[in-house]
Amino acid sequence: MKTLKLIISLLCILLSGITQRAFAVSESEPNNTWNQANVITLGATGTGGFSPAGETDWWRVTSATDGKLTINWSSINGQYVYCEVFDTLGSYGVSTGVYTNSSNVINIDGLTAGTYYIRLHPFYATETTTYSFVPTWTTPAQANDVEQNGTRALASTLPLNGSVTGHIGYYYKNLDDTLDWYKVTTNKDGRLDYTITSNNGQNVFAELFDNDGTTYLAGNYTTATATYSRDGLAVGTYYIRVRTYYISEFAPYTLSNTLVLPSVIIDPEPNGTRATALALAPGDSTVGHINYYYNHASDTLDWYKVTTTLDGRLDYTMTSLNGQNVFLELFDNDGTTYLGGNYTTATATYSTDGLAAGTYYLRIRTFYSSEWAPYKVKVKLITPVEPIDMEPNGTRALATILNPTDSITGHVGYYYNHVRDTFDYRKIVITGNGKLDWTIHSSNGANVYALLYDNDATTYLGGNYTTGTTSYSVDGLAPGTYYMLIRTYYTGSEYAPYYLTTKYTIEGNDAEPNGTKALAKTKVLNDSLLGTVGFYYNGVRDTTDWFKITTTNDGELSVKLYPTSG
């Protein structure tokens, strides 16, 4: 065991000596100019002296990485010795000269990988100083970015939801690496968060730009770690520019990014016009994004079309999912005639009643052009209990049949595409003299007329309006065709579902015509008949009834008349 330990100790001493000899370099003349510089490796010890007095010694050292060059040097014989560091070709000084007659150190940070020149010379031209020095290099923990990436066109890729490291402001060949550009491509709308860390405490900017590389979106500088955000971004490629605050600064840095998605997915595009509107069925809901931005363009409008097959009230609900102002507006079929809606920062339901069956349009937009929002939309159609009447029936010529004793339902005043169902005409055919009773009911409290007209549909016979339920009566009607007109009081704004009942009572009828002596109807003696007189139809009133009675014997003729109505 002692023998083994002795062998190991001897090997360590031997290796130590080899290492020390490998890192000790003595100057060799000539080395009085930069292009005659002696080569020294990092970590090695260089020795030399100025003989004859006043001469200059040049050395060169090379690093394969960015970092900090440190030179420790000493005067061996107590005379002054200067130390200076130059850039490539020995033409650009990267440090001011420092002298010592004992020991000193120079630290030059922010250097790019390359070859640097060390010049040593005496303070006084008469001195023959002997010296030693050791150059060392400190490399940042963060790996460098891949160059060239100093312009938008040369931007390096920053993986989405990933990170990179790099160096900014590092110097070589009289040039600073002043800008590092990165491009990050998003695959969904959302908020882009990105974090910059300055790993040496110097000021580092991280600025987000639009796809053009000039339109500023977010960012600032930090000496530590800072996170910046830009929300409302649409899918696309954006650019992050890294730079220092002062031209003299440099830093190793870490850059990372995270795309934070909205709570709902985007609506299918394009749907920015009425012509490209997306279908949304009554009873359904959908989600989307409005006014997200990319490359100088924003998705400013989302259009949806809602097709109804029944009359009714359209309820439509907007929910802004990020608290920003979002409009939900209902338009007629033309896409320009406003029917209802407004904006909200939370959830709001709007309603437009009195709509006839048809295709309507919903338009979504933000209140301010700078806003954006994920949103949810829901539509619901509330239909009246009363079924609609058969259309068209808006004129006398198109009047639909209403039996003298009947019960019907219908809708009046409902609107679609610049047309309002203003009138409902019903045709009543009466076969005997009598009285018509009818009851009209407005189911939504709107003013509804039920008017009876003569055969010309202009001669008013009876009826009025109601906001609830009202009955009307017209007696003395002769057989014929009459018309019932149903309309609202305010024909431009009111609408109503309604029901209408009719009852016709026949009060009797004599054989017509018998209005003159020549047309008198024959009646036998000792007989009775039921007749009517004074009943009206189509501008004519049956004012007189004539009867002819033939007697075969002389005597007294007695006629008795019994009225059956008032």
Side-chain angles (χ1 to χ4, degrees):
M1 181 64 69
K2 293 181 178 179
T3 303
L4 179 59
K5 289 183 178 178
L6 179 60
I7 293 172
I8 293 173
S9 298
L10 290 172
L11 286 173
C12 290
I13 294 171
L14 178 61
L15 290 173
S16 175
I18 293 172
T19 302
Q20 290 176 1
R21 286 195 296 274
F23 285 88
V25 182
S26 298
E27 68 158 319
S28 60
E29 296 291 347
N31 64 349
N32 296 330
T33 62
W34 69 267
N35 53 355
Q36 296 174 326
N38 293 160
V39 175
I40 187 169
T41 58
L42 292 167
T45 300
T47 60
F50 308 128
S51 179
E55 73 160 352
T56 297
D57 288 348
W58 284 82
W59 299 78
R60 72 172 184 265
V61 63
T62 300
S63 172
T65 63
D66 294 353
K68 178 176 71 176
L69 176 62
T70 299
I71 301 174
N72 286 278
W73 81 100
S74 300
S75 170
I76 297 174
N77 64 354
Q79 294 184 356
Y80 288 97
V81 57
Y82 258 105
C83 181
E84 299 167 292
V85 180
F86 291 84
D87 199 356
T88 186
L89 306 184
S91 54
Y92 300 107
V94 295
S95 73
T96 57
V98 180
Y99 63 89
T100 184
N101 64 351
S102 58
S103 296
N104 210 337
V105 62
I106 291 177
N107 288 295
I108 310 166
D109 208 344
L111 296 180
T112 304
T115 297
Y116 296 88
Y117 291 83
I118 303 166
R119 185 174 71 177
L120 298 165
H121 61 91
F123 188 86
Y124 298 106
T126 58
E127 291 180 308
T128 56
T129 311
T130 56
Y131 63 84
S132 68
F133 72 99
V134 179
T136 57
W137 193 272
T138 305
T139 301
Q142 295 73 30
N144 195 11
D145 49 294
V146 177
E147 297 292 345
Q148 299 286 332
N149 64 348
T151 65
R152 170 190 173 277
L154 297 173
S156 302
T157 297
L158 173 61
L160 184 63
N161 299 315
S163 65
V164 295
T165 60
H167 302 168
I168 190 67
Y170 280 71
Y171 170 93
Y172 183 58
K173 292 185 178 180
N174 202 35
L175 294 174
D176 270 316
D177 174 25
T178 54
L179 300 175
D180 284 349
W181 283 85
Y182 293 91
K183 61 182 176 182
V184 56
T185 300
T186 62
N187 53 14
K188 293 180 181 178
D189 294 353
R191 185 185 81 224
L192 189 62
D193 296 343
Y194 62 100
T195 300
I196 185 73
T197 298
S198 171
N199 290 299
N200 68 347
Q202 298 200 25
N203 297 281
V204 178
F205 272 98
E207 299 162 298
L208 180 67
F209 291 90
D210 198 3
N211 184 263
D212 59 5
T214 58
T215 302
Y216 170 82
L217 299 179
N220 213 314
Y221 67 90
T222 183
T223 59
T225 296
T227 297
Y228 307 106
S229 296
R230 178 61 185 254
D231 207 344
L233 295 181
V235 174
T237 297
Y238 299 88
Y239 290 86
I240 297 175
R241 184 179 69 185
V242 179
R243 61 184 176 94
T244 59
Y245 191 94
Y246 298 107
I247 192 65
S248 60
E249 290 182 306
F250 57 89
Y253 61 85
T254 304
L255 177 66
S256 62
N257 75 98
T258 303
L259 180 64
V260 181
L261 304 180
S263 57
V264 297
I265 63 172
I266 191 173
D267 47 295
E269 295 289 345
N271 65 343
T273 65
R274 170 188 174 277
T276 58
L278 302 173
L280 182 59
D284 284 351
S285 63
T286 190
V287 295
H289 302 169
I290 190 65
N291 217 36
Y292 279 71
Y293 169 92
Y294 174 63
N295 203 25
H296 297 278
S298 292
D299 172 27
T300 54
L301 300 175
D302 285 349
W303 284 84
Y304 294 90
K305 61 181 176 182
V306 180
T307 300
T308 62
T309 56
L310 299 171
D311 294 353
R313 184 186 82 224
L314 200 61
D315 294 341
Y316 39 107
T317 301
M318 164 58 74
T319 299
S320 171
L321 295 171
N322 69 346
Q324 298 201 24
N325 298 279
V326 181
F327 271 98
L328 180 62
E329 299 164 297
L330 181 68
F331 291 88
D332 199 2
N333 184 263
D334 58 6
T336 57
T337 302
Y338 171 80
L339 298 179
N342 213 314
Y343 67 91
T344 182
T345 58
T347 297
T349 298
Y350 311 104
S351 295
T352 304
D353 207 345
L355 297 179
T359 297
Y360 299 88
Y361 290 86
L362 289 169
R363 184 179 71 183
I364 298 171
R365 61 186 176 94
T366 58
F367 190 94
Y368 298 106
S369 60
S370 59
E371 292 181 304
W372 72 92
Y375 63 82
K376 181 178 181 180
V377 173
K378 183 176 182 179
V379 294
K380 185 177 182 181
L381 181 66
I382 310 300
T383 57
V385 174
E386 297 77 14
I388 191 173
D389 49 295
M390 186 178 295
E391 296 289 345
N393 64 350
T395 64
R396 172 186 179 277
L398 297 173
T400 53
I401 295 296
L402 174 62
N403 295 318
T405 298
D406 207 348
S407 179
I408 63 166
T409 63
H411 302 170
V412 70
Y414 280 72
Y415 169 93
Y416 173 63
N417 203 24
H418 299 279
V419 176
R420 193 173 290 279
D421 174 26
T422 312
F423 302 120
D424 285 350
Y425 276 91
R426 298 285 185 157
K427 180 167 59 174
I428 307 172
V429 178
I430 295 172
T431 58
N433 293 332
K435 180 179 71 171
L436 182 66
D437 296 316
W438 70 96
T439 299
I440 184 71
H441 171 78
S442 171
S443 296
N444 68 346
N447 298 280
V448 179
Y449 277 99
L451 304 174
L452 182 66
Y453 287 90
D454 199 0
N455 183 263
D456 59 6
T458 57
T459 302
Y460 168 78
L461 299 179
N464 212 316
Y465 68 89
T466 182
T467 59
T469 302
T470 306
S471 297
Y472 306 100
S473 226
V474 176
D475 205 348
L477 297 177
T481 300
Y482 298 84
Y483 291 88
M484 185 75 72
L485 171 63
I486 301 166
R487 65 178 177 89
T488 58
Y489 189 94
Y490 298 104
T491 56
S493 58
E494 286 187 304
Y495 54 89
Y498 63 85
Y499 67 76
L500 174 70
T501 60
T502 58
K503 181 182 178 182
Y504 190 72
T505 305
I506 295 178
E507 298 174 336
N509 201 5
D510 51 290
E512 296 288 347
N514 64 350
T516 65
K517 175 178 174 291
L519 296 173
K521 302 299 182 184
T522 299
K523 293 297 179 183
V524 298
L525 289 170
N526 302 315
D527 196 5
S528 65
L529 63 90
L530 180 63
T532 56
V533 69
F535 281 71
Y536 171 92
Y537 173 65
N538 202 23
V540 176
R541 191 173 294 279
D542 174 25
T543 56
T544 305
D545 285 349
W546 284 83
F547 296 93
K548 180 171 63 175
I549 304 171
T550 302
T551 61
T552 57
N553 297 308
D554 294 343
E556 180 183 10
L557 181 64
S558 176
V559 178
K560 293 183 178 181
L561 181 65
Y562 300 96
T564 59
S565 69

